[in-house]
Each structure stands twice: as structure tokens, then as C-alpha cells.
Amino acid sequence: EDLQAENLRILDEFVRLCKKHNIWYSLAYGTMLGAVRHNGMIPWDRDVDVYIRIVDVPKIREIFKEELPQQCCYKARGVTKGYTSTHELLESTVVTGAHLDMYPLVGVSNSPKEQADFTKKTYYFRKILKSKYVDIRQCLPKNRPMVLLAKFVDMFISDKKIESIYSKYETMYDYNSSEYVVALANYGKACNCVKKEIFDDTFGHQFEHLQCAIPRDYDTYLKGMYGDYMTPKKY
């Protein structure tokens, strides 16, 4: 309960800053699912997820330099030493494990075959590269053997090389001219790629005591991610 309360506080601060500076965002992954299915947090969820646009990342970084929410730290690849994940992070400094993940949406091909190739590659290399500086004690016990293996592989990959790998896929397709978008953090399936126009039409949906943006056509997104998303599956 303390963890989710802190996650909600961080989300509230994030939404406030996005509104203030006219930054587009949408709830993502399990957080969007929670909004639709529970009008708030999935009871066993441990974090909150949002999408941002890859083209807005520089502006968002500047905002958080000047207006970092209280009792939070900001982490980003290429900005924070010892951080090698694909996305930006707002992390609580008072509740261990509480954080908000900001996943940049990037452009992707219109071709289902190329979408499948893109998502499969990014799924696997992200799993490996993000593990380099992860605290193994904060991983779920079932995931620790694979994280340890990834850490061994990462010993031979420099942070500079990791940055170049991520940047290659973030810029492979021009975001502004792409019809489809996806985050590098995906489930490795072509169906995770979504028409960009779906994210252009968002509305405020209840999330606990907040109103948070999600696509009006959330059904297409959630089916592409989870299939029968209204049937709870506890992981």
C-alpha cells in the first residue's frame, strides 16, 4: 500500500508538469490496463508506466532539471551514470522501489514482417542491456538467474556501445512521418506496434483520484498487448 501510494504521488506530479508544459503523454502497459479494468492501480502492480514521444525527450529532460518533483530523482540513459535502460525514470527517494517509467514511443515500419523483426530484436537486447547496473536484490526471485547471466554478458559491452545500440533503433524510422509507433520496451510481438493516430486521440480517464490521459481507442492497444485484457492474470 505504501509503495502504490508513493507511485500515485509521483504520477500526480508527472501529470501536473505535463499539463503545465503542454507535453503529450499517455498511461501505458499495466497502468493503462489498471485504469480501464480497475479505475486505478492493479492491486499487485509495483510501478506506474507512461508513454512519452521520443521527440519530446530533450524537452522533458530540461523540465526535470528545473522542476524535479520533491523526494524524487530523475534517471535517464546518457544522463545518469550507471543507468542503461531504454527509458526515462522518476524514482522515489523515500519509498524503496517506488517509481514511474517513462517509455518513449518511436517510429516503426508499416510492414508487419519488419515490425515483427524490430520488436523481437528490441525485446531481447533490452532485456540484456538494461540489466548491467540493476540491483539484483530488487529483482523478483524467479528473474534473478537470467539477470545474473545478462550482467555477465554486459561486462563485455561498454556504456557507449549500449547507447549506440539504443540510438540506432530509436532513429531507424522517423517518428514524425511514421504511421506506426512502439516503445523499445515491448513484448517482442508485431501486434505491440500501434497506429500513431490512436495515440493522437486521448481523453482523461479515472485513475484512483486522478484523471489521466489514455487513447480513446484503448481497446485496440490493450488487445495488442494482452489479448483478453479484462480477465485478470496475476504474474
Side-chain angles (χ1 to χ4, degrees), residues 53-67:
R53 291 167 170 157
I54 189 66
V55 293
D56 291 330
V57 167
K59 183 177 180 180
I60 289 171
R61 291 181 177 180
E62 287 300 315
I63 290 170
F64 283 119
K65 279 184 183 178
E66 302 295 328
E67 301 180 62

Side-chain angles (χ1 to χ4, degrees), residues 2-232:
D2 290 342
L3 181 70
Q4 290 199 338
E6 180 67 357
N7 284 337
L8 191 62
R9 180 188 73 84
I10 298 172
L11 177 61
D12 192 5
E13 287 291 314
F14 171 81
V15 170
R16 178 183 64 81
L17 287 171
C18 286
K19 290 180 178 178
K20 178 180 178 181
H21 295 281
N22 195 30
I23 296 289
W24 179 93
Y25 80 93
S26 169
L27 299 185
Y29 298 117
T31 307
M32 190 195 303
L33 175 58
V36 172
R37 200 170 66 196
H38 304 272
N39 287 325
M41 296 274 191
I42 295 175
W44 51 88
D45 211 350
R46 303 190 305 157
D47 62 5
V48 282
D49 303 322
V50 298
Y51 284 132
I52 54 178
R53 291 167 170 157
I54 189 66
V55 293
D56 291 330
V57 167
K59 183 177 180 180
I60 289 171
R61 291 181 177 180
E62 287 300 315
I63 290 170
F64 283 119
K65 279 184 183 178
E66 302 295 328
E67 301 180 62
L68 184 67
Q70 291 185 351
Q71 299 179 319
C72 286
C73 65
Y74 181 74
K75 295 182 178 180
R77 190 186 80 247
V79 175
T80 307
K81 187 176 180 180
Y83 182 78
T84 55
S85 198
T86 55
H87 58 280
E88 318 289 291
L89 183 75
L90 266 180
E91 187 173 59
S92 172
T93 59
V94 292
V95 178
T96 301
H99 65 279
L100 179 145
D101 292 314
M102 291 170 274
Y103 295 104
L105 288 170
V106 305
V108 70
S109 170
N110 291 353
S111 162
K113 184 177 182 301
E114 292 181 14
Q115 289 176 359
D117 182 64
F118 186 93
T119 51
K120 185 177 181 179
K121 286 180 178 178
T122 53
Y123 173 82
Y124 283 110
F125 78 62
R126 172 183 173 267
K127 288 285 188 181
I128 296 170
L129 302 180
K130 74 170 187 173
S131 300
K132 187 170 185 177
Y133 298 105
V134 164
D135 185 345
I136 195 71
R137 295 169 298 180
Q138 294 188 15
C139 298
L140 293 173
K142 67 178 182 179
N143 293 337
R144 289 174 185 173
M146 293 304 298
V147 174
L148 286 171
L149 178 60
K151 280 179 167 293
F152 176 77
V153 174
D154 289 334
M155 291 172 59
F156 305 97
I157 307 175
S158 69
D159 289 6
K160 185 176 180 180
K161 180 61 176 178
I162 290 174
E163 173 65 23
S164 70
I165 294 171
Y166 285 145
S167 296
K168 172 187 174 181
Y169 284 89
E170 286 176 339
T171 58
M172 186 174 290
Y173 303 93
D174 177 64
Y175 177 86
N176 290 320
S177 60
S178 294
E179 292 184 26
Y180 285 81
V181 292
V182 72
L184 296 190
N186 58 70
Y187 296 119
K189 299 177 181 179
C191 59
N192 297 160
C193 300
V194 179
K195 279 199 169 183
K196 188 167 64 177
E197 63 187 25
I198 288 177
F199 286 109
D200 290 338
D201 184 14
T202 61
F203 73 107
H205 192 287
Q206 181 181 347
F207 191 84
E208 304 297 343
H209 67 278
L210 306 177
Q211 291 288 311
C212 297
I214 68 170
R216 201 169 299 279
D217 184 12
Y218 58 78
D219 183 68
T220 295
Y221 169 83
L222 291 174
K223 281 181 178 176
M225 288 292 171
Y226 305 112
D228 178 16
Y229 61 86
M230 291 305 289
T231 301

